[in-house]
Amino acid sequence: TGLPGNAGTPAALSREEGIRRTVEASKASFLREEAGKTLSYHAFLYTQLRVLRKRWWVLQALLLAGLWIFLPLADDELYAYRSMGVAGSLFIILIIPELWKNRRNQCMEIESAAYYSLRQVYAARMLLFGIADVSILTVFCGAASVSMKVALTELLIQFLLPMAVTACICFGIFCSRRFFSEAAAVGACIVWSGLWWFLLLNEKLYTAVAMPVWAVLFGMALLFLAFTVYRSIRQSDKIWEKGLEEKWN
């Protein structure tokens, strides 16, 4: 009965039907078993935390520690404090390699096929970056304000404002409809850092801007940063599709 000539016999058809049902039952059992093993969101966040390379956070912390040590030793305190803007830009630049690594390693196709969507992957990473950076910055600002007698208003103008604008540039390029490499993002951030440096070295221009104006500029930078981060998360699938389109074309 197992010969090819008997493939159309009732016994052969019955055996094929039995094999098909067995395969379908196995698939259904496998899917039920896997559905029970789905990661909770907390476990998913922990998994993303393990994927992220912590060396960039360590470098950010070392950068701020170096700035905290350097400021009291600077001969010209005024220009030393205004140089904090460069450190603020470097603080954000250290994030860029981690943000761009999935594009550089071409692993977005794998991430988009996971149980959690690519949008959720981006949201988890942004959340983890935000928690880590806010924690590092809180410690630095508190230590600088207490130990070096630096006013919080000075920290806002000299450090947090250029850092927020740098973050806007970084995420603005990241969520752009056109594909830009991480080198382009780093270059744009460095150009902004240079412009900020020359702006603060202009004493007349710096003193002409009142504190409320600096506060408004900082608030606008934060709002635009929130918009670019939200857009990066919302358009993650489009970024992936655009990257594939440019890759194949």
Side-chain angles (χ1 to χ4, degrees):
T1 59
L3 295 176
N6 297 326
T9 62
L13 293 175
S14 177
R15 185 166 57 253
E16 291 177 0
E17 181 67 17
I19 293 173
R20 185 182 63 80
R21 291 179 180 176
T22 301
V23 171
E24 292 179 353
S26 300
K27 289 170 60 177
S29 177
F30 174 78
L31 292 176
R32 284 195 303 269
E33 185 68 20
E34 290 299 312
K37 297 180 180 179
T38 300
L39 285 175
S40 64
Y41 198 72
H42 293 88
F44 170 65
L45 279 177
Y46 177 71
T47 301
Q48 290 299 315
L49 178 61
R50 295 184 61 184
V51 170
L52 294 176
R53 289 175 292 187
K54 316 305 183 299
R55 64 184 180 186
W56 303 115
W57 292 338
V58 174
L59 289 175
Q60 286 179 323
L62 291 176
L63 173 67
L64 296 184
L67 180 63
W68 181 72
I69 295 173
F70 166 75
L71 287 179
L73 302 177
D75 295 332
D76 192 334
E77 184 177 287
L78 179 63
Y79 289 104
Y81 285 158
R82 296 183 187 179
S83 299
M84 287 194 293
V86 177
S89 298
L90 290 176
F91 185 86
I92 298 300
I93 289 175
L94 290 173
I95 299 176
I96 292 177
E98 190 66 22
L99 286 180
W100 259 262
K101 73 175 184 180
N102 55 347
R103 292 188 183 184
R104 182 175 63 253
N105 297 328
Q106 299 181 357
C107 62
M108 297 181 72
E109 296 91 336
I110 299 174
E111 292 174 340
S112 65
Y115 174 80
Y116 286 97
S117 66
L118 193 60
R119 182 179 302 174
Q120 290 172 311
V121 172
Y122 271 75
R125 291 179 180 176
M126 300 296 180
L127 175 62
L128 293 172
F129 266 114
I131 293 174
D133 286 350
V134 168
S135 301
I136 296 172
L137 289 172
T138 300
V139 173
F140 169 75
C141 291
S145 178
V146 173
S147 64
M148 296 184 295
K149 308 298 183 188
V150 180
L152 291 178
T153 54
E154 284 294 319
L155 287 174
L156 185 150
I157 297 173
Q158 313 295 354
F159 183 79
L160 295 179
L161 176 58
M163 187 194 71
V165 175
T166 305
C168 291
I169 295 172
C170 174
F171 284 100
I173 293 176
F174 185 72
C175 68
S176 174
R177 295 183 180 273
R178 298 184 60 185
F179 179 80
F180 290 97
S181 65
E182 56 187 317
V186 171
C189 293
I190 291 176
V191 170
W192 154 248
S193 179
L195 291 175
W196 177 258
W197 173 271
F198 286 112
L199 172 66
L200 292 186
L201 289 181
N202 189 328
E203 183 66 25
K204 293 182 179 179
L205 181 61
Y206 176 78
T207 55
V209 181
M211 181 58 202
V213 178
W214 288 119
V216 170
L217 292 175
F218 180 66
M220 292 174 60
L222 288 182
L223 289 175
F224 186 74
L225 176 60
F227 169 74
T228 54
V229 171
Y230 175 78
R231 186 180 178 187
S232 298
I233 296 173
R234 293 289 299 177
Q235 294 191 349
S236 56
D237 294 331
K238 294 181 180 179
I239 293 173
W240 171 58
E241 293 172 0
K242 184 67 176 178
L244 283 181
E245 180 182 347
E246 293 183 0
K247 174 184 175 182
W248 290 113
N249 291 336

